[in-house]
Amino acid sequence: MLSSAEYIQLSLESNLFWVRIMKEHAIFIESAMPPPLNHIARQAEHFKQQFAVLLSETIRHANGLVSSGALQSGQYYTNFTEAAEQAVQNSTGIGTDGYLTQMEYNIEPLTTYSITPETEDAVNQLNGYILNMVNAFAAFKADLLDNQSACRIFTLLYTADISHILHEAQRYIQLLTGLQNKDENFNQNYAEFWNQNMAEHAKSMRGLFDPSETAFINEADRYGRVFDALAQVPTISALPDTKDISAFKATATQGMLSCKVKAIMSPLYTDHNLREANHYIHLMQP
Ligand SMILES: [Fe+2]
Ligand SMILES: [Fe+2]
């Protein structure tokens, strides 16, 4: 059973990571809809706005209540996030809420004085709102996956990527449900989930680099095999390889932002995958 203090801290640390991830999935969906699917793009825009509100609420509550280790792990933002958000906003016209990233720079780390009697109720209510929204978003992604799998729609997202972001929503629902029950094992089997997730990032990125980027394609292909192997044996520590794939994603993001690496993925997509690797690293070395 989690103590109240643990429940508050772990909820806010998880939400700071996951709500932004959900918000960006909405941006990726919105930007990948061809004109006949404008109505789906509009629904995705609506989800993005709802998650932006929830992220802003999470940031407000998190002040003084999350560990400095979590804040410095590179799972909430990286050196590239703000520039990547700006680049996507410029190229797609979709608002990316860079002000939220700037707000995150100023979150104060944990002090024992920050918890008031109202804090737990506020976090409980916030978790409840988020859980409702993620449930709705998971249903939306499941619909998208069904329709594309049956060839009723065509989007510019890999079917495997739609499945990937659906699994992330389902994972977050599972975590929030565990947290709401104050279950201390709320994040069990995380290595199985994240090894699989890292393998899928590598394979999607492999297919989104420009065909002329041979070195990046080969490296992504290698990471796909490395994490496929790790996914078979989740007892082996994935820490060294996850640090390596994190560096690879950072290099790709930086290269794309400086127009030195060609790809049909956005730097926000690779930065997003970078933050997920950093989140996994943080879980392995809390
Ligand atoms: Fe994701
Ligand atoms: Fe992912």
Side-chain angles (χ1 to χ4, degrees):
M1 184 98 170
L2 294 172
S3 69
S4 289
E6 288 167 331
Y7 166 74
I8 291 166
Q9 182 187 339
L10 292 168
S11 292
L12 292 168
E13 287 179 357
S14 303
N15 291 339
L16 275 178
F17 170 72
W18 282 104
V19 174
R20 172 182 279 276
I21 291 298
M22 295 297 120
K23 180 170 93 70
E24 290 172 349
H25 290 168
I27 294 170
F28 302 150
I29 294 170
E30 182 176 358
S31 63
M33 293 301 121
L37 300 180
N38 264 337
H39 57 290
I40 300 179
R42 277 196 300 276
Q43 285 175 281
E45 169 66 24
H46 184 70
F47 277 113
K48 185 207 73 183
Q49 289 173 7
Q50 299 298 310
F51 283 117
V53 172
L54 290 169
L55 182 55
S56 144
E57 279 300 290
T58 303
I59 294 167
R60 197 168 62 80
H61 286 296
N63 211 35
L65 292 172
V66 293
S67 70
S68 59
L71 287 170
Q72 287 160 14
S73 62
Q75 63 179 322
Y76 302 140
Y77 54 82
T78 71
N79 291 337
F80 313 116
T81 307
E82 233 189 298
E85 288 180 320
Q86 195 59 55
V88 165
Q89 189 164 302
N90 293 347
S91 59
T92 65
I94 298 169
T96 50
D97 315 294
Y99 66 94
L100 291 171
T101 311
Q102 289 166 1
M103 279 167 66
E104 287 179 345
Y105 300 154
N106 299 318
I107 300 173
E108 294 289 335
L110 192 68
T111 66
T112 44
Y113 311 108
S114 304
I115 299 180
T116 67
E118 294 81 37
T119 310
E120 186 170 345
D121 283 348
V123 169
N124 187 274
Q125 198 174 47
L126 179 67
N127 285 358
Y129 288 143
I130 295 174
L131 198 46
N132 279 340
M133 192 53 63
V134 182
N135 269 307
F137 198 34
F140 172 74
K141 288 169 170 172
D143 237 29
L144 203 59
L145 179 61
D146 273 359
N147 283 327
Q148 182 152 306
S149 301
C151 298
R152 285 188 291 270
I153 61 169
F154 172 82
T155 74
L156 296 174
L157 292 169
Y158 283 133
T159 305
D161 249 356
I162 304 176
S163 169
H164 180 96
I165 63 178
L166 171 60
H167 287 148
E168 287 180 3
Q170 289 166 337
R171 176 77 188 173
Y172 189 21
I173 289 167
Q174 200 181 32
L175 295 179
L176 276 171
T177 307
L179 281 166
Q180 291 299 68
N181 293 326
K182 294 196 169 175
D183 177 0
E184 59 196 17
N185 297 317
F186 76 101
N187 206 1
Q188 68 181 351
N189 303 332
Y190 72 84
E192 287 169 30
F193 177 82
W194 285 110
N195 285 337
Q196 175 75 28
N197 200 287
M198 292 300 116
E200 290 171 1
H201 287 175
K203 293 176 202 174
S204 283
M205 287 173 70
R206 176 184 64 192
L208 294 166
F209 284 110
D210 190 85
S212 64
E213 298 287 359
T214 313
F216 278 98
I217 292 169
N218 291 343
E219 194 64 353
D221 186 62
R222 188 179 71 76
Y223 282 119
R225 280 181 278 117
V226 163
F227 280 96
D228 270 346
L230 284 166
Q232 299 300 314
V233 201
T235 45
I236 296 177
S237 171
L239 188 55
D241 291 312
T242 310
K243 284 183 174 170
D244 286 351
I245 199 173
S246 167
F248 171 71
K249 289 166 175 173
T251 305
T253 307
Q254 189 169 34
M256 287 159 61
L257 280 171
S258 56
C259 199
K260 293 199 173 81
V261 175
K262 295 187 253 335
I264 51 167
M265 56 192 155
S266 75
L268 191 61
Y269 176 79
T270 51
D271 187 62
H272 174 104
N273 290 347
L274 166 59
R275 278 179 268 117
E276 290 186 8
N278 292 345
H279 175 71
Y280 184 23
I281 292 168
H282 177 69
L283 293 178
M284 286 187 274
Q285 48 178 27

